[in-house]
Amino acid sequence: MRGAVVNCEALLVHTLVILSETGECYEMFADQLKVANNSETAELFDELAEVQHKRTGNLEKMMEGLERPHISPWDFTWDADHSPEMPTINAAVHYLMTPHQVLSLAVNVEQWAIEFFTWVDQCNSNGKGDDALRQLARQFSHDAEKFRKQLLKRQESFSPPEEGWDHDPDPPLIQE
Amino acid sequence: MNLACPHVALKAKDYKSTTKPVWCPGCGDYGVLLSITKAMAELELKPEQVALISGIGCSSRMPAYLNVYGFHAVHGRALPVATGLKVSRPDLTVLAAGGDGDGFSIGGNHFLQACRRNVDMTYIVMDNQVYGMTKGQASPTTEANWDKSKLTPGGPKINPFLPLVIALASGANFIARTSSSDTNATAKAIAEGIRHPGFSFVHVLSPCVTYRPEQRQWKKMVHPAPREFTDDPAVAAHRLMGDDNFYVGTLYKGNRPPYQPDLNSTVEHLSELEAGFRV
């Protein structure tokens, strides 16, 4: 992580980006898998996108009337290796991926978010930050943890991918 | 009565068209699309003031997925079209985009001349070291020993084209390399390239997960360049000697003035032009 989140407004803007961009990302993954005719996983990504859009809407309501500091995409506190807003956009999906893997990806996203909120909380401990900020960070962490648990529960209903799940009997690497 | 519309800042997604990309799931070009839209939103560009010109190939489908002006040109010819557009409409923000095959093989000479000419535009090359659209042949940037294509048994056996070296030697005024997996850093490089006067070259490592599945590991292999950019081409050249092709960051920001011909013609009648060609 770099920089610091030092007030509630900055934390709210970071959180809004986490929620809205993951929502858009899930939507994009759903579109990719529809093109690849993997409808089961596409539907799951669509469902996840809807949840993220709802969470984004709730936060937007919470932020109504508040002044939002402008933060350029490259100035967010997280770095590329640990970016909670983008579930490692490329190479994260595969056209043969299974619902179990979709949920693993979503669980990781929530885990990254929890780590981010915990980091904000810790950075502002020992009287360094205001209590309202720490409380907000803990609340967001709690929300992410709750959703992560729901995802894990949902994941139990799908069997893990078998060995060779990405084997394609008619692979694309054929040249004449 | 004031009829002026209030300024409404566009979000990145507002720059996307309603056409859904048909790239393979996991393709790096999705990340680049996102980065382009983030850069445009950050620079608050008006969509009607932007044009993106492409050639042919998977990544050259980019104009269809944006709601700015676009032109899907012929193979390798994105840069001449973009150059013509920019010199005739210097008020526009002109971007060119394409892949390594399009830009460095059939369009290779245009790349050299565009760097040399230094027209104020930004060229984004999504490099996956393969011709993906035509089913996986070796491209100019493919490693000499890549032997997966039947067309090049045992590998191409020739050294790969080094885009940053060529760009610097040919006179590009801004040179950066990024990874498509880091959409925010790529957005920053594109935004800086657009802001920087002259010809800006943004080299994006963008994996082809279908024909080069091993490139899924690229996001773990890239690492930040050890030093900040320089404005000295000799220093940049020296740094490139130690480049392992996975350094990311801005390498060079030059100070050469962009080429922009005088558009105020003194010719009043076509016959005056014809006179110059009379035998």
Side-chain angles (χ1 to χ4, degrees), chain A residues 139-155:
Chain A
Q139 185 199 317
F140 288 151
S141 177
H142 174 76
D143 293 347
E145 177 59 29
K146 199 169 141 192
F147 188 44
R148 194 184 77 94
K149 281 183 178 156
Q150 284 173 11
L151 291 167
L152 284 169
K153 182 115 185 97
R154 179 86 186 272
Q155 199 181 29

Side-chain angles (χ1 to χ4, degrees), chain B residues 104-121:
Chain B
F104 305 141
S105 184
I106 191 165
N109 186 43
H110 295 306
F111 178 56
L112 305 185
Q113 308 306 333
C115 293
R116 188 176 149 239
R117 196 168 281 122
N118 198 30
V119 170
D120 187 16
M121 59 187 186

